[in-house]
Amino acid sequence: MSKKNQSCRIKAEDIPLERGESPERFPDEDRVVLTDEGEPESFEEAKNDTHNRKWLSAMQEEMDSLHENHTYELIELPRGKKALRNKWVFKLKPGDGGNPPRYKARIVVKGFQQKKGVDFDEIFAPVVKMTSIRTVLSIASMDLEVEQLDVYTAFLHGDLEEEIYMHKP
């Protein structure tokens, strides 16, 4: 069953309690409504979605981008190495200025299957501090024009020391 435009109602008694908390902290009439943006949760859902051609086109666009940027090589898995599994992540980006929404698909490695010391040694995720953004914007406010830039392949600019093996999507 597709999760598109599906909502679910959660009763207070369904919410896990912290140790020592009593269920009376939530009155019975309280409800939480959760909804999603209508994105498929899996390849199977994307394939069976009413907009399946758009999702499949987004997937092909992702694979073309990875191929054009020489992101991977198809090889036999070396002896003693483990291939990580992957999954498709789908996102419906709202159109701006009356444009139709954009269908985005990304193939991601299930990195949580890796073990520290076996598959990798350290974790590093560069992020920008908010103070840096404020500084740049304050300098730009001195009669400069600010524009937004979306880098689709930003992840390609990082250097990996380890070899990563992944099953084909």
Side-chain angles (χ1 to χ4, degrees):
M1 181 171 117
S2 175
K3 294 184 179 184
K4 185 175 182 178
N5 297 329
Q6 193 178 39
S7 66
C8 88
R9 297 201 179 274
I10 300 175
K11 295 180 182 176
E13 59 267 15
D14 295 334
I15 298 172
L17 300 174
E18 296 291 326
R19 179 179 249 177
E21 283 186 309
S22 81
E24 290 79 39
R25 71 181 176 143
F26 297 109
D28 286 341
E29 60 275 357
D30 282 354
R31 299 288 184 263
V32 177
V33 178
L34 303 174
T35 62
D36 66 12
E37 297 296 321
E39 293 114 355
E41 296 286 328
S42 66
F43 169 73
E44 199 62 38
E45 279 190 25
K47 194 171 71 170
N48 296 322
D49 191 84
T50 54
H51 301 285
N52 61 359
R53 289 181 188 211
K54 292 178 180 178
W55 291 122
L56 294 174
S57 175
M59 292 167 66
Q60 187 61 53
E61 193 175 302
E62 168 77 349
M63 291 306 295
D64 290 346
S65 174
L66 293 173
H67 181 73
E68 288 167 13
N69 287 291
H70 308 285
T71 307
Y72 64 91
E73 297 174 47
L74 292 176
I75 62 167
E76 288 284 327
L77 184 64
R79 179 174 254 138
K81 298 291 182 176
K82 181 175 75 171
L84 297 171
R85 301 215 177 272
N86 57 63
K87 74 173 276 176
W88 284 100
V89 176
F90 302 95
K91 186 70 182 161
L92 191 57
K93 301 266 185 161
D96 53 317
N99 292 323
R102 293 183 307 156
Y103 291 77
K104 306 291 287 176
R106 293 283 184 252
I107 187 78
V108 296
V109 174
K110 294 181 177 180
F112 58 82
Q113 296 174 327
Q114 295 178 308
K115 291 183 176 61
K116 186 172 183 175
V118 176
D119 300 307
F120 65 92
D121 292 320
E122 62 181 336
I123 298 173
F124 179 72
V127 294
V128 178
K129 291 183 179 179
M130 204 58 189
T131 54
S132 300
I133 293 173
R134 285 189 194 109
T135 302
V136 169
L137 289 175
S138 66
I139 293 169
S141 70
M142 297 177 197
D143 202 28
L144 296 176
E145 193 172 309
V146 177
E147 292 186 17
Q148 179 182 344
L149 178 66
D150 192 3
V151 180
Y152 294 105
T153 55
F155 65 92
L156 294 178
H157 301 290
D159 295 323
L160 281 178
E161 294 175 13
E162 301 85 7
E163 290 183 337
I164 297 176
Y165 301 96
M166 179 180 90
H167 291 279
K168 289 190 292 185

